[in-house]
Amino acid sequence: MNHDRTRLGRSVELSRKNEGCVVAARWRTGAGSRGINGPDEVVIRLAEDAAPEVRERGITSAALHQLGRQVDDMVAEFHDLPSVGAYQVMVHCYIEGRLAELAQARGATAPGFESDLLAVFEDLTGRGHVDPLGVLATATRRSREALHQLLDVARLRGDHDERSA
């Protein structure tokens, strides 16, 4: 495992490139806990081949937000955990399965798809998903705007029952 290398006193560095920036995460500690730990050092710099507009802006808070996800991904890689991509696939499969269950429960031809969407949306929100609308839109192959309208229909009709519980 990757973290065993740090216990032997050897450093490990992982890096990612995103939005014209390079982020490197380094684990240098020789003795660490067995738990999941972040890197000892994170270095962010503009990539040598960054576009001129990126060089002009520099490292912005928006870039830092994106790079934070890259650090999370490197921590997962370092500890041999599922990556963010695997998490997204898992959430996508969950949404598809949950919508199918709800459709079967109400009868696939009966009206109520909007309330099913709302139940799944509220479930994702309750679980603390950072972008429930976005992930639901991706899973259902609908735009955010279209999905937002469908959710509003369910809320306005008040036909949402407690199926999300």
Side-chain angles (χ1 to χ4, degrees), residues 121 133 137 143-155:
F121 175 81
L133 185 65
S143 69
R144 284 176 174 269
E145 296 77 17
L147 186 58
H148 187 68
Q149 289 174 351
L150 290 169
L151 294 172
D152 282 346
V153 166
R155 288 180 187 113

Side-chain angles (χ1 to χ4, degrees), residues 58-132:
I59 300 171
T60 64
S61 60
L64 288 172
H65 181 72
Q66 291 291 325
L67 294 170
R69 294 182 194 155
Q70 300 295 324
V71 173
D72 288 344
D73 189 39
M74 288 184 280
V75 170
E77 180 182 337
F78 180 78
H79 290 285
D80 298 321
L81 300 172
S83 69
V84 171
Y87 174 74
Q88 289 169 338
V89 169
M90 180 182 68
V91 170
H92 186 91
C93 290
Y94 168 77
I95 290 170
E96 289 178 341
R98 185 73 174 123
L99 286 173
E101 288 171 8
L102 291 169
Q104 184 177 9
R106 70 172 158 76
T109 59
F113 179 66
E114 297 87 354
S115 64
D116 293 350
L117 288 172
L118 184 57
V120 173
F121 175 81
E122 290 177 348
D123 187 23
L124 291 169
T125 301
R127 293 171 185 263
H129 193 283
V130 295
D131 186 14

